[in-house]
């Protein structure tokens, strides 16, 4: 193993060493606390996925490396948040929404930019694709947060957020990104792109549905989400993140490794 290879392997390991300590959760997780257990399971899965994606950058062509690094950043950022959320949950029996939003504010734009990155790896994707996807995510998330945090009306925040999401869906199903994928993507990339946009449609629908259930359906007389609903919502969000962050990253990994394998060997 060469020195640079060793160095590359050390990067993910040293990143993980910076994870917050979690002594409180470790000492207090009850064996029937399924929300806590799901936080625990998913945090481990996210951490393992991070090592995997970063490690695999070594076996793909240069132009695919950025996509895999971004997948690894998404699971890394989420893993750290899950460590915090797990500890807060075990300590208080609550999971403040603000942690989800801080995570989303970083990971969702990165996930959207993956569409731009894989298109850039196969051709010359325009900067417009990048900006439209980025702005769409912010229009989706920021009003959602303002609504949940009480700065604006809950319904207004929800409606504007939905428009942001629809704007993203338009771009990846019918806009410039979709046209480029249809015209230029080789089969493995086209199939990954197609599955990725269905993840953004079906997998992502879980979060606005959670908003509807948590604020309109399962509310007590004071207008707060009931405890049972908030437990169920946390488990559902946690499982959703497995699909939307880990499986999404695996789709990119599939496109990247398939394309790298078929590359013509260098003459040397
Ligand atoms: C890894 C985390 C992901 C993929 C989170 C995605 C979050 C959303 C798709 C949130 C969507 C929302 C709307 C479409 C309307 C307003 C309320 C939100 C922010 C929950």
């Amino acid at each position: 193993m060469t020195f640079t290879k060793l160095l590359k392997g050390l990067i993910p390991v040293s990143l993980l060493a910076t994870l917050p300590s979690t002594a409180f959760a470790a000492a207090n997780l009850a064996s029937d606390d399924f929300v806590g257990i799901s936080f625990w399971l998913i945090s481990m899965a996210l951490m393992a996925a991070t090592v995997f994606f970063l490690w695999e950058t070594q076996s793909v062509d240069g132009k695919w490396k950025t996509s895999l690094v971004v997948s690894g950043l998404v699971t890394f950022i989420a893993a750290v948040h899950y460590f915090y959320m797990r500890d807060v949950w075990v300590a208080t029996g609550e999971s403040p929404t603000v942690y989800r939003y801080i995570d989303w504010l970083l990971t969702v734009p990165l996930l959207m930019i993956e569409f731009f990155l894989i298109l850039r790896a196969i051709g010359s994707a325009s900067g417009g694709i990048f900006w439209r996807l980025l702005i769409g995510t912010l229009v989706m998330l920021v009003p959602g947060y303002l609504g949940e945090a009480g700065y604006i009306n809950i319904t207004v925040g929800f409606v504007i957020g939905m428009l942001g999401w629809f704007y993203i869906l338009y771009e990846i199903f019918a806009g410039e990104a979709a046209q480029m994928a249809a015209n230029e993507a080789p089969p493995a990339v086209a199939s990954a792109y197609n599955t990725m946009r269905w993840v953004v449609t079906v997998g992502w629908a879980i979060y606005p549905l959670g908003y509807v259930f948590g604020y309109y359906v399962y509310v007590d007389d004071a207008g707060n989400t009931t405890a049972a609903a908030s437990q169920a919502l946390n488990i559902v969000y946690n499982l959703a993140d497995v699909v939307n962050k880990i499986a999404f990253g695996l789709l990119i990994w599939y496109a990247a490794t398939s394309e790298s394998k078929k590359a013509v060997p260098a003459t040397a």
Side-chain angles (χ1 to χ4, degrees):
M1 185 188 260
T2 64
F3 179 67
T4 37
K5 269 208 173 143
L6 183 72
L7 207 62
K8 279 182 191 158
L10 282 175
I11 292 171
V13 175
S14 52
L15 281 176
L16 292 170
T18 64
L19 286 174
S21 84
T22 54
F24 187 88
N28 292 282
L29 180 69
S31 57
D32 61 350
D33 175 1
F34 294 111
V35 180
I37 293 170
S38 77
F39 273 125
W40 209 291
L41 277 172
I42 311 304
S43 57
M44 291 305 144
L46 286 164
M47 196 165 66
T50 304
V51 175
F52 177 76
F53 292 135
L54 296 181
W55 192 268
E56 286 293 294
T57 55
Q58 297 174 83
S59 47
V60 297
D61 288 348
K63 61 182 181 183
W64 286 103
K65 287 190 199 295
T66 315
S67 307
L68 282 184
V69 169
V70 171
S71 293
L73 291 180
V74 166
T75 50
F76 180 61
I77 293 167
V80 177
H81 280 91
Y82 268 78
F83 279 95
Y84 285 121
M85 290 194 288
R86 183 180 85 183
D87 216 21
V88 172
W89 173 266
V90 172
T92 66
E94 282 171 19
S95 183
T97 315
V98 64
Y99 295 117
R100 297 262 179 209
Y101 274 92
I102 297 171
D103 175 290
W104 294 353
L105 199 58
L106 294 165
T107 57
V108 175
L110 288 172
L111 288 168
M112 281 323 296
I113 284 166
E114 290 281 24
F115 284 95
F116 168 77
L117 290 174
I118 68 168
L119 292 175
R120 200 190 58 166
I122 57 162
S124 51
S126 78
I129 297 180
F130 175 90
W131 287 110
R132 283 192 298 275
L133 292 175
L134 188 69
I135 290 166
T137 61
L138 296 177
V139 173
M140 177 177 86
L141 295 175
V142 174
Y145 177 69
L146 295 177
E148 295 209 40
Y151 292 107
I152 60 173
N153 176 278
I154 285 272
T155 306
V156 171
F158 182 74
V159 171
I160 304 175
M162 289 298 281
L163 293 177
W165 183 38
F166 291 147
Y167 183 62
I168 291 169
L169 292 175
Y170 173 80
E171 176 67 29
I172 57 181
F173 276 94
E176 194 190 338
Q179 283 157 20
M180 191 182 162
N183 298 332
E184 297 177 35
V189 178
S191 112
Y193 180 96
N194 189 41
T195 316
M196 281 161 64
R197 65 186 176 186
W198 281 106
V199 169
V200 172
T201 314
V202 181
W204 286 26
I206 289 166
Y207 308 93
L209 280 173
Y211 194 104
V212 169
F213 284 117
Y215 288 103
Y216 300 101
V217 183
Y218 295 111
V219 282
D220 58 22
D221 293 338
N224 298 316
T225 313
T226 62
S230 110
Q231 291 205 10
L233 281 177
N234 271 300
I235 293 183
V236 171
Y237 284 158
N238 290 356
L239 294 176
D241 281 354
V242 174
V243 175
N244 298 332
K245 295 189 166 74
I246 300 178
F248 192 90
L250 284 173
L251 292 167
I252 291 155
W253 171 83
Y254 164 75
T257 46
S258 311
E259 283 303 296
S260 300
K261 262 192 220 113
K262 79 174 193 199
V264 190
T267 46

